[in-house]
Amino acid sequence: MAIVDLVMPKLGESIMEATILKWNKQIGDNIAVDETVLEIATDKVDTEVPAPFAGKLVEICFQVNDVAPIGSVLAKIEIAGENNMVVNSPVATATPATAVEATPSNEQPESIPYVPAPPVNTAPQETGNSEARFYSPLVLNIAQSEGVSLSDLEKIPGTGSGGRVSKKDILNWVAAKKSGANAPVDSSAAAPVDSIAAAPVATSVAATTPTQASSVAATTAAPTSAASNPAGVVLSGASEIIEMDRMRKLIAKHMVESVQTSPHVTSFSEADVTNLVQWRNNNKAAFEKREGTKLTFTPLIVECLVAAMKKFPLINSSLDGDKIIIKKDFNIGMATALPNGNLIVPVIKGADQLNLVGLSKSINNLADAARNNKLKPDDTQNGTFTFTNVGTFGSLMGTPIINQPQVAIIAVGAIKKRVAVIETPSGDSMAIRHMMYLSLSYDHRIIDGSIGASFLTEVANQLEAWDPNRTA
């Protein structure tokens, strides 16, 4: 018999660790290939870890609620084979108490080194509970963004394993409270020290660090209404100090490191996408009926991106020291909004090998998985180029930051109708057209303005050359 390691998988370029939520198998249990062994959670997604081999679980290295670094050994599985066979060796191993950072000295790290913050004390003050209730990082992020304190969180009935509050539980509770179905929390009740929603500065705060203690004012003046303030004296309101959550810290480190690593240059262009818009409007209903998936603008844009990238291979590369690595795979990352308002970048693998139907299904499946917290670790790995649609949020254009270790990222803005000058056989004329701004941020260490601007122009040309008579 042989013992193999079940390793914490890579969960995205900015994720360095995950929390153990639940062990679906216990020591001595038999495991089938691809059967779920445990469930884990990060600040972005909850996911399952399947067994890469069939065998018997003989050792569990982390307990529920432990934080395990990427690449650490989660468990050991006994399989049929020769003695002392080593399979699926981890990048790094760690005990639950110590996270080991494992970045080979001769390789570019895939993600930002991150030192985990001390675990949040999830036991509310003065509740009389002898046992702390566990909340996943995803639930804590939603609670923080929605202003849910720990005292309120303790009141939410959990439908998860062991009464754990799930994403669905907290979202339903927030929706009910906003609709008035839940009575608001009594403001006179004592607020817990480690509340998720930051307490107003007017409240006496027990800071967890000397820095926090020195930065928080104990009291502020109460606001005065205009009716009771005939002299027009303006009184300053209270300030609110919010501690960054773990995901925001990771994003901050990732963005700062990207700017420090790559000298960013951004070029802009504009595309007349009238033909593309009209073609989609004419075909989307029949396409959805025939293929069972929606026809959005994203697959149309990705198809044009891939065509342009093939003409400018340097755009699809990465940099390792003084070596340029040209990628032969066209794996396009697309920025996607999560239910808690954060963004994640699932990757369309082999985008150059997919037709419009394949692109549409791949993109819609990834977007649905992100919205429903069903993304798998592999869904966010091995991207070679990133696309972000800032127009989704109403922006005309943006200057995106490169997603390391890639060398370029493109942003498309909102499609707007504008009056434009067009050339006709009888001369120039003015017409109402669908226009869209494009912006490309690129690494000036290896991509000069001539290549960056030429690639962006080619993308615009591909969009404008969309055949209005092509079949869907």
Side-chain angles (χ1 to χ4, degrees):
M1 305 298 287
I3 303 296
V4 298
D5 296 330
L6 178 63
V7 175
M8 175 70 78
K10 295 179 182 178
L11 302 167
E13 294 183 353
S14 64
I15 299 175
M16 297 297 293
E17 61 190 18
T19 302
I20 310 299
L21 288 184
K22 176 185 177 183
W23 283 97
N24 295 54
K25 296 291 183 178
Q26 300 300 322
I27 294 176
D29 289 351
N30 292 323
I31 304 171
V33 175
D34 292 332
E35 187 176 6
T36 299
V37 179
L38 72 158
E39 299 174 14
I40 59 176
T42 71
D43 289 325
K44 296 182 179 180
V45 294
D46 292 354
T47 190
E48 300 172 344
V49 179
F53 312 98
K56 183 171 70 174
L57 186 63
V58 296
E59 183 179 346
I60 291 176
C61 302
F62 289 86
Q63 301 304 315
V64 172
N65 300 347
D66 285 343
V67 176
I70 302 304
S72 59
V73 177
L74 299 174
K76 294 183 181 293
I77 302 174
E78 184 180 73
I79 66 172
E82 297 179 1
N83 291 332
N84 302 323
M85 182 174 65
V86 179
V87 184
N88 195 26
S89 296
V91 175
T93 58
T95 64
T98 306
V100 179
E101 182 179 330
T103 302
S105 59
N106 60 341
E107 294 183 6
Q108 176 72 20
E110 292 189 7
S111 54
I112 304 160
Y114 172 68
V115 178
V120 177
N121 176 17
T122 57
Q125 305 296 310
E126 300 179 4
T127 62
N129 291 343
S130 60
E131 186 173 342
R133 195 178 187 188
F134 172 75
Y135 303 101
S136 72
L138 184 61
V139 168
L140 291 176
N141 274 344
I142 296 173
Q144 184 173 24
S145 63
E146 296 292 344
V148 181
S149 68
L150 270 178
S151 59
D152 287 342
L153 199 55
E154 286 290 329
K155 302 174 184 176
I156 301 175
T159 61
S161 175
R164 180 170 60 87
V165 176
S166 67
K167 179 189 75 174
K168 181 179 179 181
D169 296 332
I170 188 171
L171 290 178
N172 288 342
W173 188 90
V174 170
K177 185 174 181 180
K178 288 181 178 179
S179 67
N182 278 20
V185 177
D186 184 4
S187 60
S188 64
V193 173
D194 292 321
S195 61
I196 296 171
V201 178
T203 305
S204 177
V205 177
T208 57
T209 66
T211 302
Q212 291 173 324
S214 62
S215 63
V216 179
T219 57
T220 58
T224 304
S225 65
S228 62
N229 187 20
V233 177
V234 178
L235 302 178
S236 62
S239 297
E240 185 177 9
I241 299 174
I242 300 175
E243 180 72 19
M244 275 190 182
D245 60 35
R246 195 160 64 96
M247 179 180 178
R248 180 50 52 186
K249 290 177 182 178
L250 285 169
I251 293 173
K253 287 178 177 288
H254 194 50
M255 295 298 97
V256 169
E257 176 151 321
S258 180
V259 173
Q260 292 175 341
T261 300
S262 301
H264 281 55
V265 176
T266 303
S267 295
F268 298 89
S269 186
E270 186 178 31
D272 182 341
V273 293
T274 304
N275 287 344
L276 184 146
V277 171
Q278 292 177 347
W279 181 87
R280 175 181 173 270
N281 290 340
N282 293 335
N283 289 277
K284 63 181 181 180
F287 183 93
E288 183 175 358
K289 183 178 180 180
R290 184 181 73 246
E291 304 297 340
T293 191
K294 291 184 178 180
L295 180 63
T296 66
F297 285 111
T298 302
L300 314 185
I301 296 172
V302 169
E303 182 179 289
C304 295
L305 277 176
V306 171
M309 290 169 66
K310 289 182 177 180
K311 296 183 179 181
F312 295 87
L314 200 60
I315 293 293
N316 197 43
S317 67
S318 63
L319 194 61
D320 182 9
D322 58 358
K323 295 180 177 62
I324 300 172
I325 304 172
I326 305 294
K327 303 297 178 66
K328 301 302 181 181
D329 294 324
F330 291 81
N331 298 335
I332 311 299
M334 59 174 192
T336 305
L338 290 171
N340 60 3
N342 291 314
L343 292 178
I344 197 169
V345 185
V347 178
I348 309 160
K349 303 291 179 60
D352 60 319
Q353 303 172 36
L354 300 175
N355 59 17
L356 196 58
V357 174
L359 283 173
S360 297
K361 290 184 176 181
S362 177
I363 288 167
N364 291 338
N365 288 341
L366 287 171
D368 289 342
R371 284 191 291 267
N372 294 294
N373 198 35
K374 296 295 184 181
L375 283 175
K376 299 177 181 177
D378 185 61
D379 292 334
T380 59
Q381 294 182 33
N382 302 322
T384 62
F385 182 85
T386 299
F387 155 78
T388 179
N389 186 353
V390 297
T392 301
F393 311 104
S395 295
L396 290 178
M397 64 180 70
T399 55
I401 296 177
I402 298 167
N403 187 15
Q404 298 292 332
Q406 299 167 23
V407 297
I409 178 173
I410 195 168
V412 301
I415 298 174
K416 297 288 187 180
K417 290 182 180 179
R418 293 203 300 274
V419 176
V421 177
I422 60 174
E423 296 180 357
T424 67
S426 58
D428 293 343
S429 65
M430 300 184 70
I432 297 176
R433 309 293 289 177
H434 289 85
M435 307 298 293
M436 181 176 72
Y437 288 115
L438 311 169
S439 57
L440 179 77
S441 295
Y442 46 94
D443 190 334
H444 209 347
R445 292 178 298 173
I446 61 173
I447 300 179
D448 293 328
S450 59
I451 296 178
S454 297
F455 168 75
L456 189 61
T457 300
E458 178 61 24
V459 175
N461 291 339
Q462 292 285 339
L463 292 168
E464 292 182 345
W466 191 270
D467 182 1
N469 299 314
R470 68 178 282 181
T471 58

